[in-house]
Amino acid sequence: MAASEENVSIADHAKRTRREPGALRQYATQLAGNPLGIVGLVLVVLIIGCAILSPWIVPYDPTQIFVGPRLGGPSWAHWLGTDQLGRDTLSRVIAGSRIAMLVAVATLGTALTIGLLLGLIAGYGPQWLDNILLLLFDAVRSFPVIVFGLALVTLLGPSLQTVILVVAITSVPIYARIARTQTQSLRNAEYIQAERAMGAGTMRTLAIHILPNVIGPLLILVSMDVPLVIATEAGLSFLGMGVRPPTPSWGTILNDGYGVIRNSPWPVISGSVPIVIVTLGFTFLGEALRDIFDPKLRRDL
Amino acid sequence: MLFYFIRRLGLSVIVVVLAVTILNVMLHLVPGDPAVMILGPRATPELIAKTREAMGLDRSFPMQMAIFFGNVLRGDLGRDVFTDRSVTTIVMEQLPYTLMLITASIAWAAALGIPLGCYSALHRNTWLDKITGVLSVSTISIPSFVMALYALLAFAVGLKWFPAVGAGEGFADSFHHLVLPAFAVGISWVGYLARIVRASMLEVLGETHVRMARAFGLRERKIVVAYALRIAVLPAVTLIGAGVAYLLSAAVFAEVIFARPGIGALIVKAVDSRNYPIVLGCVLVTTGIIVVATLISDLVNAWLDPRVRENL
Amino acid sequence: MPQAEPLLTVSDLSLDFGTPRGRLHALRNVHFAVPKGRIVGIVGESGCGKSTLAHSLMRLVPGNADIVAGTIDFEGENILELGERRLRELRGQRISMVFQDPMTALNPVTTIGRQMYEIQYRSKRSSAEKRTAAIEMLERVGIPDAASRLDAYPHHFSGGMRQRLCIAMALLTRPALLVADEPTTALDATLEVQIINMLKDLQSDLGCSVVFVSHHLGTVAELCDDVVVMYAGEVVEKGPVREIFHRPSHPYTQALFECDPGRIKEKTRELPTIPGELPDLRNVPGGCIFKARCPKAFGRCEREHPEPYVAEGEDHVARCFLLDEEEVAA
């Protein structure tokens, strides 16, 4: 059942890649008709804007202590309050959006590239290689991300690079699996069989026919994974296993807040705002995009 | 059936072996003496020599792996260098707490999520369906540790309805301590399950055999339960089985945030003190939990679906 | 038709589908009767509304369908006005149905036996008797070794066997009317012949009436007593099978016969097709529904919607002005 569904999605996708003029406009109209998608788009733009513009829009120096009272609640001077060292939470949160986006782009880029490559190899290569790769993917996937990350942290020490490595390694199998299934069903598609019968080389077939059709659905999945990656980074940093203080990361801000949760609720509440915004934003947007481009696409969990 | 069990178990063993191999290989790939890595900051020359010998570091790498797996097979995960207690004992002491937490989380999530998804599918586009839809997406996307922090803040620190720390003693007290962590771990699964059950329920309700049951005038409740839901829960069962890995990740945070004992809390502490044998032990046990969970979900699927049963 | 009193009479039935792009008038003023003990075939191209019609006979229409007018009189009751409870009593008891795709028509996770007991849930017979009835019916539809097959699941059977199972289930409760919606479309030709012969035998044994939906003219000629020809949601011609096949009176029926590969006698390189497309049923054009594709269309077809005019032979009518006496006279 799953296989046939995927075939349908590929057929649909192949159809859609031959875009008519005005298709972009049509997508925009479709997005406009989806209120949650609009909310998502606004939130995503907000966060990306913060990440890019953060050095210029922070009201205070995010690492400067005692710019305000300790553990102050929201006020006109400090919209999201201040932490236990009197640092401005809003400034820290905005600065943290840079780390979050950096991790998201770096990990997803790495994971997508490696996943795509392995998926193409597994889907197009010999059967035995496919079997071995599948087993590997399953092995990596049967680790809980955090436990796996913690094991790596023990070896490599906590750092931004470790976080990126952890999330990339755990995401690769997901993309690789999907790329593999898509490649396999495309490989058996009649037009590709015909092309091969006429003597087209492997590289040509892969580059011209398979890659463009595999990458589309993968990109949608990647965009839906952004919140997951950001949450993992924040989670590891929260546990003190990711980005180290004093670099402001959303996870460390929350960790600071957790330490003083009995004294003031504000650091935790304010610290969680960006995570909630970014996860909801990307999820709403991702869902809307998926509905528009590829309603049949599902994660093969 | 027996064949299925053997095959499934064989696959699981391969997965566990691969997982441990990867971690072991990494231990050797990281620059520096593996014995020093294992000992972390406590390394003294005598301890290093002792550990080197125990790991067989002077022998070939395959030999080291063989020694390691031999030990694992005997249930010997090594000794905690610091306290000299058996790692197996330490891990097993913590295991019940984590198992209790994830079981409770799955149980309440399934008890709420499956009926909710079923209701949504049967009453499509009603206000409850729409609210469930938005709430599902929201609870799925908000990370579990944020949920745990909110739960802690609202119900433990603020309202003081539930304790904030520990696992409690005795049944009632343990239950009382379990509520908030299980809430935090399970909440996103309510949304997950509701969504997947709704989708598959809609699919099944549109199938010809449901129409045929209607054409035979069977009672609506019978059709919904025996003809539709029984088939619609199959993907949910698979999802739970595959999702235990995610549940375990969430459990790590819940245990840290609510200061509960458990594998998650143990591993975090071990990472902090760079206690590699304990970390490795925890990884093995969690992988084991995942393997067993997948097995259980396969069995439940087989029990519900004869087609799966015969393909085993 | 006058020799037998009607079991089912559909009068003036109109059905709309609500779609995002407007209301689709899928059935318009459908009128036909099913006499007791006879087999009525409904033929037409895909999309002509024949399956929708078959499903609406049991009010088994999808949620976006809306029956806007008409009555379906069955044994003195109007099916369209029955309460849910009474409707459920009729379904599977007095009327039953065989679906197009036998591969998906049976509950995949329940044994055949269990499904056959469950549809007898109203019967006060003991479970042993229900079992016997099930076995007997399975034997009648030609399932070998029926008693032991009760514990099998649908996926243990081939497509042809599954359709036999569906027919057995449909006839198990001895209904007065069997609605068969393209029961042989999903099967290959040899199986089709077997199933048709079996249906014919069972029908004459049990004496029930059958509504048989098909796009295959040969099958209809083989099996049916009366034929209803549908085009774009309307009944364009109906009458006894012999009349329709020997003297098709509506240009659409004639075109349909010309396109039937089984009836083409000369050697040609191309299969004939009816030129043109089905009209848009969201915006039903005025005049005759077939006019755009009709080789014989003339002025009046543009302006007026034809009544059912009497054609040659008994009980044979067609919605075509060429049969109107005025036109014939002119």
Side-chain angles (χ1 to χ4, degrees), chain B residues 7 11 47 54 58 71 89 108 120 146 154 193 200 239-240 243 270 287:
Chain B
R7 208 180 55 185
L11 196 74
L47 266 178
D58 43 349
N71 289 342
T89 319
W108 88 265
S120 285
V146 174
L193 293 174
S200 59
L239 187 75
I240 292 177
T287 315

Side-chain angles (χ1 to χ4, degrees), chain A residues 191-272:
Chain A
Y191 72 100
I192 286 177
Q193 294 279 9
E195 182 109 343
R196 281 172 54 171
M198 289 191 296
T202 306
M203 277 305 153
R204 188 192 141 79
T205 317
L206 277 177
I208 296 191
H209 294 294
I210 296 192
L211 194 63
N213 284 317
V214 172
I215 210 162
L218 270 184
L219 279 176
I220 296 178
L221 281 183
V222 165
S223 79
M224 294 186 75
D225 271 349
V226 172
L228 213 69
V229 169
I230 290 177
T232 310
E233 182 270 319
L236 280 172
S237 301
F238 173 80
L239 293 176
M241 312 289 170
V243 180
R244 303 299 286 173
T247 315
S249 132
W250 294 342
T252 49
I253 295 170
L254 272 179
N255 192 16
D256 290 344
Y258 173 66
V260 293
I261 201 165
R262 281 185 176 70
N263 310 345
S264 166
W266 292 111
V268 162
I269 295 175
S270 310
S272 66

Side-chain angles (χ1 to χ4, degrees), chain C residues 133-178:
Chain C
I135 295 173
E136 191 208 336
M137 195 42 91
L138 287 180
E139 277 166 355
R140 282 184 98 146
V141 298
I143 305 275
D145 200 9
S148 69
R149 302 297 269 166
L150 281 181
D151 292 327
Y153 289 94
H155 65 273
H156 295 139
F157 295 86
S158 65
M161 280 295 161
R162 287 196 212 184
Q163 200 55 292
R164 286 168 193 264
L165 289 171
C166 291
I167 293 170
M169 286 175 71
L171 296 177
L172 187 59
T173 49
R174 306 291 155 115
L177 176 67
L178 174 70

